Amino acid sequence: MTNETNIDYVQEPISSAPPEVRQIIDRVWQLEKNRLDKKINTHINDDILAIVKEAVR
């Protein structure tokens, strides 16, 4: 399995997800990226829960 095939295999569930799910994934990814960039080590669960609740409304 080549690297490109491996990346496609890993990202397939994201690329085939409904738009609502992709939006949640994108927002959580951005949240985590920002936290890592700022080296914030606090809990992220409440922030993820807020993102999901907002998307479900």
Side-chain angles (χ1 to χ4, degrees):
M1 191 178 263
T2 67
N3 281 344
E4 187 172 316
T5 304
N6 193 25
I7 289 170
D8 291 341
Y9 174 76
V10 169
Q11 292 195 353
E12 190 277 327
I14 297 170
S15 60
S16 66
E20 299 85 3
V21 175
R22 290 185 66 184
Q23 179 184 7
I24 292 171
I25 293 168
D26 289 341
R27 290 186 62 200
V28 171
W29 171 80
Q30 188 63 45
L31 174 68
E32 181 62 15
K33 182 182 177 303
N34 289 340
R35 294 168 79 88
L36 290 172
D37 288 346
K38 295 176 185 173
K39 297 182 180 172
I40 299 172
N41 293 326
T42 59
H43 298 286
I44 193 171
N45 294 346
D46 292 338
D47 295 332
I48 293 173
L49 182 60
I51 290 169
V52 173
K53 282 182 176 180
E54 185 179 311
V56 171
R57 288 187 202 158

